[in-house]
Amino acid sequence: MTLDDVRQWLEKDGWSVDVISEVTIRSRFRGAGRVFPLFVYREPLFITFAVIPFARLPEDPDGADELMKRLLKLNREINMAKFSIDEDGDVVLSVEYRIENLDLSEVRDAIDVLTFYTEKHHAEVQSLSEEY
């Protein structure tokens, strides 16, 4: 599986795709009242589909703590996807698959999961991000 295969599959399904580097492509989707960036990263063994930024980690330690606790709880409740925080303080929603045997149905599943959980949880996560 190559990143170019994923790009072609996304474009065939009507997604506009920008090639960022040899290992990264970017697209976008509309959901939860705004447009969200969708990044796809290919690593040696995995491919990651991610909404970055989903929200920002509050600078206030109490607010950051509250948001991180909620993200941990959501991680226990949701299937296939996970929330994390990157080194820039962005909240990330991602789905990761092993490259071997990756097929079109899993690419579509990843996109469906990300758009579904974005629609379902963005308002709450964003409000926790802005509270402090």
Side-chain angles (χ1 to χ4, degrees), residues 5-54:
D5 294 331
V6 174
R7 180 192 58 76
Q8 289 175 21
W9 286 341
L10 289 172
E11 288 176 342
K12 185 177 177 185
D13 277 354
W15 293 74
S16 66
V17 179
D18 302 316
V19 176
I20 305 299
S21 72
E22 291 181 7
V23 296
T24 306
I25 59 177
R26 178 184 60 211
S27 190
R28 58 204 57 77
F29 65 93
R30 180 167 298 284
R34 63 171 264 214
V35 174
F36 290 89
L38 171 70
F39 288 89
V40 182
Y41 303 100
R42 188 189 190 294
E43 301 172 47
L45 298 176
F46 294 93
I47 192 158
T48 302
F49 300 81
V51 177
I52 307 169
F54 192 84

